[in-house]
Amino acid sequence: MIKHLFALAVAIAAPAANAADTSDWWFAESDHFRVYSAGGEQTAQDLATRLEMLDMAMRIYTGVALDQGGSTPDVAKPTLFQFGTNDDIANLIGVDGVYGFFIPRAGNSVAFMPLTTEERRRRGGSPGTRHYTEFNANNIDPLAVIQHEYTHYFMFQHAPAAYPAWYREGLAEVFGMLRIEDNRFFVGDPPPHRMNEIAVYKVDAEEMFRPVRNYVNYPHYGHGWLLTNYLAFEPSRANQLAVFLKALNSGTDSLVAAREAFGDLDQLSKELNAYRKERSRGLAVPFPADTQPVIELRKLSAAEAARMDLYIQSQAGVTKEQATRQLSEANAVLQQYPDRLATLLAAAEVHTDAGRLQEGYDLYKKAVATDPKSVAGNLGLARLELQFAEEDPAWLQTARRSFLRVNEIENEEPNALAGYYRTFVLAGATPPEDAVIALEGAFVRAPFDEDIRETLAYQLITENRDDEALVVLGPILNSPHSNKRVRELRELTTKFSSGEREPLIAKLKPSFSEKD
């Protein structure tokens, strides 16, 4: 999969360290997760079990209903890859000091963590659109990183809203430190990797509620944990967080909403500065009876294991140049296993990412011939047909049929629903009602996907539902990790609110080229 580059131009110095050649790859699947682990059967089972218990703990804590077993479609399950060392993970993202990262994508959210860790000096770099967490050199736990990042995904999957930086990171730090013992979980443990910043930086509550000017230079992680933890377990502050978030998402200025919800912010600062020197508060909660997760396990076939290096790198995101360097390996694996679905799909993605679109299309066709119900194969065809349509609009009809075919195979696939809608906009036609319903369905299934969110905002504006469109854009506009596109959307939204509508509409309208 091609890497989205905003201000990012970091080359991956080396691929993941040939994990497929030397590792005992197993696949584990549970109600909410899929896991590829190079650590063997028990490691795969343990990780899938831990992730399920994390999800259950978050549901209990936040009030999200517990799922019935088997109710989550495959395309809604994040996939976690566990292999190698932290150096291998750092090579994937191009930034040292990152011990795990998560990429939320419609129909294909993925995470990466090491089997083993070793200290490594950090170097400069940028994570681009990936969600990642920087930890101090000591007390690093890759599982805490994944728990932190999954919290972001959980928040926007089950309660998508405009969250301030301190709360996004604060709640993620709270659940990053989740402990599970026997049949109960503990929440509230302080993050040891944040204790330096909590101890050194005095809390200024008013500054925390101002719009983020410099995300790097303010301790949003440490102070975010402090405030989130304090509001959760301080009786005198009960329900104030809910009042604040409701006001913020209704359009109230952050500082105004904070004063309405929390009162005197100087007093809140005093309480937080006192609390950071005290023993942290927390909660022990039992899991419901008979909730042991069901994990299905299988050892990867030789063909599946052979393509893992390619698969991992494609899922993490590559540039066109990096994909071009993968071609010889992809062709070698394909030559060894020419008729296996796994190797056909892996090679098709490498060729596509390298700009060899016709070769990629032919390989996806072979994959679909091997398994006509392959979601990945049929979706790969549809996406390439959209690219072909930029040169020849006749391909739009073919792409539309392919998206419909994906929907018939898996009606929960959000990319197929959104893609079907986009074929009408790209054709210059007014999307029919069923296409608008499909887009709304894609948003319900993947509210964390920014492309789908922007497309829905565009549709709402064309219906003169401006207020709803701005609410839909809220989580993007309030993102603490500002990139060029987010900053531009903020500027255009301000103009839109003043009556200058067309620039924002043009920016949100689906196009053939990737959004920058």
Side-chain angles (χ1 to χ4, degrees):
M1 182 168 291
I2 283 291
K3 185 185 300 178
H4 288 266
L5 299 177
F6 294 106
L8 176 63
V10 178
I12 296 177
N18 293 323
D21 295 337
T22 59
S23 302
D24 186 14
W25 279 103
W26 279 74
F27 177 74
E29 186 164 16
S30 59
D31 284 346
H32 302 99
F33 300 93
R34 290 173 296 193
V35 170
Y36 287 93
S37 177
E41 180 178 10
Q42 190 62 50
T43 301
Q45 177 166 327
D46 290 347
L47 181 55
T49 299
R50 176 58 182 248
L51 292 171
E52 281 295 331
M53 301 303 279
L54 166 67
D55 182 86
M56 189 183 305
M58 293 192 69
R59 289 171 184 273
I60 293 170
Y61 183 89
T62 60
V64 173
L66 296 176
D67 278 353
Q68 299 296 319
S71 62
T72 305
D74 287 347
V75 293
K77 296 179 181 181
T79 301
L80 190 143
F81 298 89
Q82 183 189 39
F83 66 97
T85 70
N86 49 293
D87 277 0
D88 298 316
I89 303 302
N91 281 337
L92 282 177
I93 198 172
V95 182
D96 285 0
V98 176
Y99 281 61
F101 62 96
F102 189 99
I103 308 175
R105 286 194 295 245
N108 185 30
S109 293
V110 291
F112 305 83
M113 68 178 293
L115 272 172
T116 59
T117 61
E118 55 190 42
E119 287 197 9
R120 183 178 180 185
R121 181 172 53 85
R122 286 180 52 200
R123 66 171 181 269
S126 167
T129 58
R130 297 167 179 79
H131 288 238
Y132 82 116
T133 310
E134 285 191 6
F135 284 78
N136 295 332
N138 298 318
N139 302 312
I140 297 172
D141 180 358
L143 185 59
V145 179
I146 295 302
Q147 292 185 167
H148 175 113
E149 298 303 338
Y150 181 69
T151 304
H152 292 314
Y153 173 87
F154 186 94
M155 289 171 69
F156 285 98
Q157 174 69 18
H158 298 290
Y163 296 111
W166 65 265
Y167 183 64
R168 285 169 63 126
E169 302 304 345
L171 187 66
E173 286 294 300
V174 167
F175 278 99
M177 295 309 300
L178 180 80
R179 278 189 295 124
I180 297 175
E181 296 177 6
D182 299 324
N183 198 38
R184 57 181 179 168
F185 67 89
F186 298 80
V187 64
D189 287 355
H193 47 275
R194 303 294 179 204
M195 296 316 294
N196 284 343
E197 64 186 59
I198 292 173
V200 170
Y201 292 97
K202 189 175 181 179
V203 179
D204 182 343
E206 183 167 317
E207 180 66 23
M208 292 182 71
F209 293 112
R210 293 185 187 278
V212 176
R213 293 189 295 272
N214 190 325
Y215 193 81
V216 174
N217 290 340
Y218 190 84
H220 295 286
Y221 293 93
H223 285 186
W225 172 85
L226 191 72
L227 180 53
T228 302
N229 180 275
Y230 185 70
L231 293 175
F233 301 117
E234 168 52 43
S236 66
R237 297 283 180 177
N239 299 319
Q240 290 184 351
L241 176 60
V243 172
F244 168 74
L245 291 175
K246 182 177 180 180
L248 185 68
N249 281 274
S250 69
T252 305
D253 175 80
S254 178
L255 268 175
V256 174
R259 293 189 179 106
E260 290 177 352
F262 305 118
D264 185 348
L265 297 184
D266 287 340
Q267 176 59 34
L268 180 59
S269 294
K270 291 178 182 178
E271 293 176 26
L272 290 173
N273 281 308
Y275 182 53
R276 69 193 178 110
K277 300 174 185 177
E278 299 172 4
R279 184 186 182 95
S280 66
R281 304 170 194 178
L283 187 69
V285 183
F287 286 108
D290 302 320
T291 54
Q292 185 64 22
V294 176
I295 312 296
E296 296 182 3
L297 291 151
R298 66 175 177 84
K299 186 175 176 61
L300 295 196
S301 68
E304 289 175 309
R307 63 84 196 246
M308 282 307 295
D309 286 340
L310 297 169
Y311 188 43
I312 287 169
Q313 291 177 73
S314 292
Q315 293 302 301
V318 295
T319 64
K320 184 178 180 179
E321 292 73 21
Q322 290 162 354
T324 299
R325 293 196 292 271
Q326 291 179 306
L327 284 171
S328 59
E329 181 183 354
N331 292 335
V333 171
L334 187 60
Q335 186 175 10
Q336 187 177 7
Y337 302 100
D339 57 353
R340 304 298 174 86
L341 180 64
T343 52
L344 285 166
L345 291 174
E349 184 151 18
V350 171
H351 279 268
T352 300
D353 289 346
R356 299 164 63 95
L357 303 189
Q358 187 59 55
E359 291 86 346
Y361 191 70
D362 291 342
L363 286 166
Y364 277 123
K365 287 172 67 175
K366 290 180 180 179
V368 170
T370 300
D371 180 1
K373 293 189 177 297
S374 168
V375 172
N378 283 286
L379 191 59
L381 291 177
R383 284 170 162 162
L384 280 170
E385 287 156 1
L386 269 189
Q387 292 192 56
F388 295 154
E390 186 169 10
E391 300 295 330
D392 180 1
W395 278 100
L396 284 171
Q397 289 284 355
T398 306
R400 189 174 301 156
R401 289 193 294 270
S402 293
F403 284 125
L404 286 171
R405 186 165 58 251
V406 175
N407 181 252
E408 291 172 359
I409 298 168
E410 174 51 84
N411 57 23
E412 296 290 332
E413 218 302 322
N415 295 290
L417 295 168
Y420 176 69
Y421 169 90
R422 287 173 177 140
T423 61
F424 291 97
V425 177
L426 294 173
T430 299
E433 183 179 2
D434 71 327
V436 176
I437 292 172
L439 175 61
E440 292 170 345
F443 179 73
V444 169
R445 289 160 176 80
F448 49 83
D449 187 282
E450 293 188 357
D451 283 351
I452 291 175
R453 184 174 286 274
E454 290 183 23
T455 303
L456 179 59
Y458 166 81
Q459 174 61 31
L460 291 170
I461 290 173
T462 66
E463 297 175 9
N464 295 315
R465 296 161 64 183
D466 294 358
D467 290 343
E468 294 173 69
L470 293 178
V471 170
V472 168
L473 286 175
I476 299 176
L477 301 176
N478 287 277
S479 172
H481 297 288
S482 297
N483 53 52
K484 178 183 176 182
R485 184 172 183 83
V486 171
R487 292 192 297 270
E488 187 172 0
L489 283 173
R490 287 173 183 160
E491 294 173 3
L492 295 179
T493 300
T494 299
K495 293 179 180 179
F496 179 86
S497 299
S498 301
E500 191 176 347
R501 298 170 57 84
E502 290 307 315
L504 179 62
I505 294 173
K507 192 69 175 177
L508 296 175
K509 184 177 181 179
S511 62
F512 287 105
S513 59
E514 289 186 350
K515 296 176 180 179
D516 56 5

